[in-house]
Amino acid sequence: MQVDLRILRFDPQRDPAPHWERYTVEADPMDRVLTLLHVVKEEQDGSLTFRRSCGHGVCGSDAMLINNRNRLACKIRVDQLGTKITVAPLTGLPVVKDLVVDMEGFFAKYRSVLPFFVNDSPPPPRERIQSPAARARYDDTTKCILCAACTTACPSFWARPSYVGPAAIVNAHRFVFDDRDEAGEERLELLADGDGVWRCRTVFNCVDACPRGINITRAILEVSRAAVERSA
Amino acid sequence: MQIDHDALVVGAGGAGLFAALELAKSGVSTGVLTKLYPTRSHTGAAQGGVCAALGNVEEDHWEWHMFDTVKGGDYLVDQDAAEVLAREAVECIIDLEHMGLPFNRTPDGKIDQRRFGGHTRNFGEGPVRRACFAADRTGHMILQTLYQNCIKAGVRFYDEYHVVDLLFEGGDGGDGGRAAGVVGYRIADGELHTFRAKAVLLATGGNGRMFRITSNAHSLTGDGMALVYRHGIPLEDMEFYQFHPTGLYRLGILLSEAARGEGGTLLNRDGERFMSRYAPKLMELAPRDMVSRAIYLEIRDGRGAGPDGDYVYLDVHHLGRQVIEEKLPDITDFARVYLGVEPLKEPVPIVPTAHYAMGGIPTDLRARVVRDERNAVVDGLFAAGEAACVSVHGANRLGTNSLVDLLVFGRRAGREMAAYCRVAEMPAVAADAPAPVRAELDDLRGRPRGESPAVLRTELQATMMANVGVFRTGEMIATAVRDVASLKERYERVRVEDRGSVFNTDLLEARELGYLLDGAEAMAHSALARTESRGAHSREDFPERDDAHWLAHTLAYRGEPGPTLRYKPVTVTRFEPKPRTY
């Protein structure tokens, strides 16, 4: 089948502004959008620029706006989209070139929530003990691959770019609800400020966008509830 | 611009991050360069588990793990290295748990363990539960945990810097010089930066992208291997390349061995569990080289499934919804998304997929790069993980041992580098150290006409898959040798379309193709010379293992027209080579 592929292109060294380019690509319904991007780059225009690495949805490199929804290009198939496909960079982050956005601000927010395990008591000679139930408590949020699909789909983030965003809260959740961790209080305090969890309007765009199937809105609500209980 | 650190780590997968963490903890100024973002590294794609003889669910001993590693590697393993691997695996796992890694747990809260191919109790009696795991995203959790701890320790990251050259002082790397740094290409703007350091670690991963069907990320182009090869340092045991038995049909995306560890079976078109004819004791949990060969033979003998009879099935439906959803969620998702197959109900079409380089940059037990058969050390240069060959995998790697390798030897590399940095002086680098590589990149970008790198890459992948795959003959490999030589010659005339300096992936992919060609050259020549079958190197014209002539590591040195091959002995300590049956 033939796919009519429209890609929002921008080369800062050549173009005054982003513009749409059209490509016709022969595709199989089971092909992924990443395959189509590779076909364009290899056969039609070598200057088409996008990030990709693992090609099967676990590294988080190729999140982009595909038919107006944030998707990993390597995980969304032509048969799920139809023969007219549009591809644009993620919304709300500065565009570097074509489908590549500047991720630095996104990672700065991630780093701001203490996204690491804290336990300063001397460790036992073997592993710390954790029950399967306690382990299950934060399982969902360990799946995050930091692709930024959730944060850049969030209207609260678009409206207020200083909002820490769903991805950072997901990564805080992963530690707040880990019973081996000791910095939960500190993280909740960070997230209780004006750019923290209260900015969530439960629009659920993040849940739709997450390629890992994380229930992000629930995670944000759980962190909000913990923050309320802490201050109560 | 010149940037100085005491230590540089190239590559931010498990080996690089563990080394960086050790360096940071020792107070050594460390920079990590990665051509991706650290969390995109391919360690994150590892699924099923990481073995360590914790003995949490049944009796186990590091000696058993060591034995399995040696036998699994068809006795080409250096046994002193396998001993280090098996012993230190245990501390590394405990270390990671203390850093917060969310392992699955036993009912009493200990780290849970499951079966994996080739891992046995009591020196081969039967499968043992040795693989620690976090669902089927163990590598993801290792990568995340190490990255998180690097952030905590304040490691300096240079994200999206492509390392394009190595710097040496007092002679080239293969010629007695010592490491002095690297040249990094900043992808954002195309600027070349000189990074000067006393110690450099190459943790750049494998080069599976030279094959048509592969589980490897697009970025796995063997950069570190090719860079040392270009500086006169040999590549070791490149003919040993692992084909994982269960890649998704046509795509090569990996379905973890954990599926078989949990009880998944392999079936041919007749629904027969064909492994009973190849490895009656371990069945589907035989080592990967044997299972991949069995699948090829089933297909070749007309028992493959599908309209073209060119795949077999991995069946997990009998494990039940709970096991599948709790322990194998990701690979179930892969089958659904990429093939439209529902593993809860039907078997999944699979074929062997190019997966892992057992060979690589030769190192000693201290992760120091060595440059000849007498193990002369290249001062200041270290390597770890898939890029390196220490050699713990010999002729065939066991499942999970890639993660064990990158943890044990990544950690060792960090500690050795820290000790080295305390005594070494800062080397001198030339004022315009990037000049040679700048000339190469300008030439590549400046050609008015020429062939597309993508066409050459496709041809390379086709010939390597067809001729240097699961089964090989002298004639097939000779074809690949000729094809690679001709592709290298054509590579001198490829043309890059993107002339810009901002995020020029067109240029970098062309550069990476050159690295793939170097790796393929070393692999094909090494394979042609080895007239025996051992582990993953399976020669139909020489079907037997030949310890009298070939119990030796290959060292391939770059040369014209092709590489020069030399050999070094295998270290045998506890286990005398024996025939390998399962």
Side-chain angles (χ1 to χ4, degrees):
Chain A
M1 62 197 284
Q2 273 197 347
V3 171
D4 174 19
L5 181 65
R6 297 201 314 141
I7 304 175
L8 193 61
R9 302 284 312 261
F10 175 64
D11 181 342
Q13 293 179 300
R14 284 195 322 211
D15 306 324
H19 60 279
W20 291 95
E21 293 274 352
R22 254 181 123 138
Y23 307 89
T24 303
V25 181
E26 195 56 46
D28 183 277
M30 289 297 285
D31 280 343
R32 278 87 43 72
V33 169
L34 181 61
T35 315
L36 307 190
L37 296 177
H38 274 134
V39 170
V40 171
K41 187 172 179 66
E42 290 175 8
E43 297 173 8
Q44 301 187 31
D45 185 349
S47 72
L48 177 66
T49 301
F50 49 94
R51 292 190 179 101
R52 86 282 180 269
S53 189
C54 79
H56 64 282
V58 298
C59 82
S61 295
D62 62 351
M64 41 191 89
L65 188 65
I66 298 171
N67 283 5
N68 286 315
R69 288 171 135 183
N70 281 356
R71 294 288 181 262
L72 296 184
C74 63
K75 226 184 152 175
I76 184 86
R77 298 188 310 259
V78 170
D79 69 345
Q80 297 167 297
L81 296 165
T83 54
K84 286 190 191 306
I85 299 175
T86 61
V87 185
L90 294 174
T91 311
L93 296 175
V95 177
V96 175
K97 183 178 174 183
D98 293 345
L99 303 170
V100 173
V101 293
D102 183 347
M103 298 288 287
E104 193 37 49
F106 173 79
F107 276 102
K109 287 178 175 164
Y110 163 76
R111 289 192 297 267
S112 76
V113 299
L114 309 180
F116 41 74
F117 185 72
V118 177
N119 183 327
D120 296 329
S121 5
R126 295 281 292 202
E127 68 265 47
R128 292 189 172 90
I129 298 298
Q130 181 168 53
S131 72
R135 164 68 181 76
R137 183 69 190 83
Y138 62 97
D139 182 71
D140 200 30
T141 45
T142 65
K143 296 174 189 162
C144 176
I145 55 175
L146 296 167
C147 68
C150 59
T151 296
T152 59
C154 173
S156 301
F157 166 72
W158 299 336
R160 188 180 172 102
S162 57
Y163 170 38
V164 69
I169 300 174
V170 160
N171 282 278
H173 179 284
R174 178 255 171 271
F175 294 102
V176 168
F177 293 96
D178 183 339
D179 66 354
R180 300 168 300 166
D181 183 271
E182 293 174 343
E185 286 287 308
E186 214 177 323
R187 280 188 207 95
L188 291 175
E189 193 176 315
L190 286 167
L191 288 168
D193 93 341
D195 287 320
V197 285
W198 316 123
R199 293 283 152 197
C200 174
R201 295 286 177 268
T202 59
V203 178
F204 289 93
N205 277 11
C206 52
V207 177
D208 172 73
C210 181
R212 304 287 294 153
I214 301 172
N215 193 333
I216 300 175
T217 304
R218 186 174 68 194
I220 296 174
L221 289 173
E222 287 177 354
V223 173
S224 309
R225 205 172 300 136
V228 169
E229 283 165 11
R230 178 184 155 274
S231 54
Chain B
M1 190 165 114
Q2 181 176 317
I3 297 162
D4 286 2
H5 284 287
D6 282 340
L8 291 173
V9 172
V10 185
L17 292 180
F18 213 156
L21 187 57
E22 290 293 326
L23 284 157
K25 285 202 283 191
S26 306
V28 176
S29 156
T30 304
V32 179
L33 293 92
T34 164
K35 64 180 178 178
L36 309 168
Y37 276 86
T39 57
R40 316 301 186 214
S41 307
H42 210 53
T43 296
Q47 299 165 4
V50 50
C51 275
L54 300 181
N56 276 1
V57 289
E58 60 181 312
E59 182 184 357
D60 200 5
H61 302 280
W62 68 261
E63 292 90 340
W64 297 356
H65 186 185
M66 175 190 171
F67 170 77
D68 292 336
T69 300
V70 170
K71 181 180 173 186
D74 221 348
Y75 294 90
L76 194 74
V77 171
D78 283 327
Q79 295 188 15
D80 50 351
E83 179 166 340
V84 167
L85 180 92
R87 276 174 181 270
E88 294 184 13
V90 177
E91 354 173 332
C92 283
I93 293 303
I94 299 300
D95 227 7
L96 284 173
E97 198 285 331
H98 290 167
M99 290 184 217
L101 198 143
F103 286 110
N104 278 42
R105 301 287 170 154
T106 63
D108 56 350
K110 293 195 273 190
I111 294 171
D112 199 4
Q113 298 186 276
R114 64 179 165 202
R115 293 173 172 174
F116 240 82
H119 289 277
T120 71
R121 67 183 140 78
N122 204 18
F123 309 104
E125 277 182 7
V128 72
R129 295 178 199 277
R130 182 178 293 147
C132 312
F133 61 100
D136 55 357
R137 50 178 187 280
T138 312
H140 165 77
M141 293 320 323
I142 289 175
L143 186 68
Q144 294 282 328
T145 301
L146 289 170
Y147 182 56
Q148 291 155 1
N149 279 273
C150 281
I151 291 174
K152 188 178 176 185
V155 172
R156 176 78 168 89
F157 283 97
Y158 297 89
D159 297 331
E160 296 189 324
Y161 277 72
H162 209 298
V163 168
V164 288
D165 204 2
L166 306 179
L167 302 174
F168 293 92
E169 179 197 65
D172 207 359
D175 207 24
R178 68 181 272 228
V182 306
V183 178
Y185 173 100
R186 185 160 68 188
I187 299 174
D189 61 7
E191 289 290 318
L192 290 169
H193 297 277
T194 301
F195 287 84
R196 185 170 71 139
K198 300 172 181 175
V200 174
L201 172 66
L202 299 172
T204 48
N207 51 10
R209 279 283 150 182
M210 71 172 74
F211 294 98
R212 186 171 59 82
I213 301 287
T214 178
S215 64
N216 280 205
H218 290 280
S219 48
L220 287 172
T221 49
D223 306 11
M225 293 187 206
L227 289 174
V228 300
Y229 188 60
R230 292 174 186 190
H231 282 280
I233 294 165
L235 295 177
E236 181 174 346
D237 290 345
M238 292 295 281
E239 63 271 43
F240 298 101
Y241 196 89
Q242 179 165 84
F243 286 77
H244 191 292
T246 57
L248 282 183
Y249 177 55
R250 286 210 177 105
L251 300 168
I253 295 169
L254 194 68
L255 295 186
S256 169
E257 198 166 297
R260 285 171 282 140
E262 295 289 352
T265 56
L266 293 172
L267 307 174
N268 61 21
R269 60 178 294 169
D270 306 317
E272 180 203 10
R273 280 182 75 181
F274 57 84
M275 282 311 296
S276 62
R277 282 185 274 113
Y278 303 92
K281 199 154 54 170
L282 288 188
M283 296 289 286
E284 282 87 355
L285 289 176
R288 291 173 177 174
D289 58 332
M290 301 177 90
V291 181
S292 286
R293 281 196 289 274
I295 293 171
Y296 254 67
L297 291 174
E298 289 298 303
I299 291 171
R300 195 194 307 188
D301 294 347
R303 293 189 292 276
D308 299 322
D310 57 351
Y311 58 80
V312 298
Y313 291 114
L314 172 65
D315 187 16
V316 295
H317 85 279
H318 55 283
L319 301 182
R321 183 178 289 272
Q322 195 183 352
V323 168
I324 290 174
E325 289 187 350
E326 281 178 16
K327 295 187 169 172
L328 307 167
D330 277 10
I331 63 171
T332 310
D333 190 45
F334 296 153
R336 288 175 186 147
V337 170
Y338 298 113
L339 290 185
V341 168
E342 176 47 65
L344 286 170
K345 295 195 184 123
E346 50 191 330
V348 184
I350 54 102
V351 287
T353 180
H355 186 55
Y356 188 87
M358 270 74 74
I361 305 165
T363 67
D364 64 11
L365 296 183
R366 298 161 65 184
R368 301 181 300 180
V369 173
V370 295
R371 61 182 159 82
D372 64 18
E373 52 275 69
R374 289 179 303 281
N375 292 323
V377 170
V378 182
D379 285 331
L381 191 62
F382 298 78
E386 188 175 346
C389 179
V390 51
S391 133
V392 286
H393 309 305
N396 171 63
R397 174 172 74 71
L398 288 190
T400 86
N401 269 358
S402 56
L403 292 177
V404 186
D405 178 10
L406 62 80
L407 294 173
V408 167
F409 290 97
R411 193 173 75 143
R412 278 193 160 229
R415 291 178 178 180
E416 287 292 335
M417 290 167 78
Y420 178 82
C421 287
R422 279 194 285 274
V423 295
E425 298 290 319
M426 189 60 108
V429 291
D432 193 17
V437 74
R438 180 179 297 118
E440 289 173 21
L441 291 171
D442 286 348
D443 172 49
L444 192 54
R445 186 164 31 192
R447 294 172 197 160
R449 65 185 71 81
E451 275 192 282
S452 152
V455 169
L456 271 63
R457 189 173 57 228
T458 304
E459 289 184 32
L460 172 69
Q461 291 168 340
T463 190
M464 292 304 285
M465 197 76 200
N467 297 312
V468 199
V470 173
F471 281 106
R472 306 159 174 188
T473 66
E475 202 177 331
M476 290 159 71
I477 306 168
T479 304
V481 163
R482 280 194 304 275
D483 288 348
V484 171
S486 137
L487 287 166
K488 284 193 81 154
E489 199 258 326
R490 285 163 60 195
Y491 178 74
E492 296 305 315
R493 298 188 300 277
V494 293
R495 174 180 183 273
V496 169
E497 280 182 61
D498 190 340
R499 303 303 169 100
S501 53
V502 175
F503 224 96
N504 190 337
T505 54
D506 202 25
L507 176 70
L508 292 174
E509 285 180 32
R511 179 84 184 167
E512 289 172 332
L513 172 62
Y515 299 150
L516 285 176
L517 286 165
D518 281 352
E521 174 187 270
M523 189 183 298
H525 281 267
S526 301
L528 186 59
R530 186 175 285 268
T531 50
E532 66 157 354
S533 287
R534 181 187 298 273
H537 175 65
S538 197
R539 289 278 300 253
E540 289 191 281
D541 44 354
F542 296 94
E544 300 300 322
R545 196 175 83 193
D546 179 2
D547 288 338
H549 294 97
W550 289 108
L551 191 61
H553 297 294
T554 307
L555 297 176
Y557 290 81
R558 192 178 204 215
E560 294 298 335
T564 307
L565 303 180
R566 285 151 60 174
Y567 294 91
K568 72 175 180 182
V570 173
T571 306
V572 176
T573 58
R574 291 172 183 243
F575 306 112
E576 281 303 315
K578 283 187 189 157
R580 186 164 162 258
T581 56
Y582 286 94

